[in-house]
Amino acid sequence: MTTTFVDLDVRPILKDGGEPFDLIMKAIAALGPNQGLRLLATFQPIPLFHVMKSKGFTHEATEIGEGDWEVLFTPGQAVEAETPTQAPAAAAAEADDSKWPDPEQQLDNRDLEPPEPMVRVLAVIETMQHGQVLSALLCREPIFLFPELEKRGHQWRGGFEPDGTTYKVLIRVLHNKEAA
């Protein structure tokens, strides 16, 4: 079986601070038999690997220069595993099970359109002190926020609330300026 690849370049969206998750999912849904997705991104989209695995895709990631990545998602067998929206948050939670302080600030970004939720979260955490926690409510799992947090050295925990539509993420600010 030969796989042909549909190209999707999300680098302009990411460079503008957007979240191309919905676009990626639409591209996946539109794939035909024996078609894969060639994704071009500004970072290695590790959280997306979990999502795509649960949809039955394997991946092959290659750095193509200047921090950009090409990822080939190849269809395979569907995996009956964790729900895709829980994988990155679960991985983050496993990384640190210590008690965190109560959130210093709270954001409700559920009514905002991408990339505004991500932009607001990143702007607020830049004003917070080392060790403080931000709580943010979102209308979807912010899978493109996670690599940004990781790159900046922050920790996060998250998951869907019991209503199934609100995603709550807690971000512990690290590597920012020390408390005065």
Side-chain angles (χ1 to χ4, degrees), residues 117-133:
M118 181 172 166
V119 170
R120 284 187 66 194
V121 166
L122 293 175
V124 169
I125 62 175
E126 289 303 316
T127 68
M128 296 176 68
Q129 300 297 315
H130 183 88
Q132 290 182 328
V133 174

Side-chain angles (χ1 to χ4, degrees), residues 30-112:
L31 293 176
N34 301 327
Q35 283 189 319
L37 180 70
R38 181 188 333 264
L39 180 71
L40 298 173
T42 57
F43 59 89
Q44 188 176 15
I46 293 171
L48 187 60
F49 297 164
H50 298 285
V51 173
M52 296 301 288
K53 181 179 178 184
S54 70
K55 293 185 175 296
F57 287 82
T58 60
H59 69 272
E60 181 180 324
T62 306
E63 187 169 8
I64 57 174
E66 299 181 20
D68 292 345
W69 287 78
E70 175 191 75
V71 183
L72 299 176
F73 290 106
T74 305
Q77 290 188 325
V79 176
E80 296 287 334
E82 59 203 342
T83 57
T85 56
Q86 293 174 340
E94 289 173 10
D96 178 15
D97 58 358
S98 64
K99 180 165 175 38
W100 287 17
D102 291 334
E104 188 75 26
Q105 295 194 46
Q106 299 184 11
L107 292 175
D108 186 347
N109 292 340
R110 291 177 288 182
D111 293 334
L112 301 176

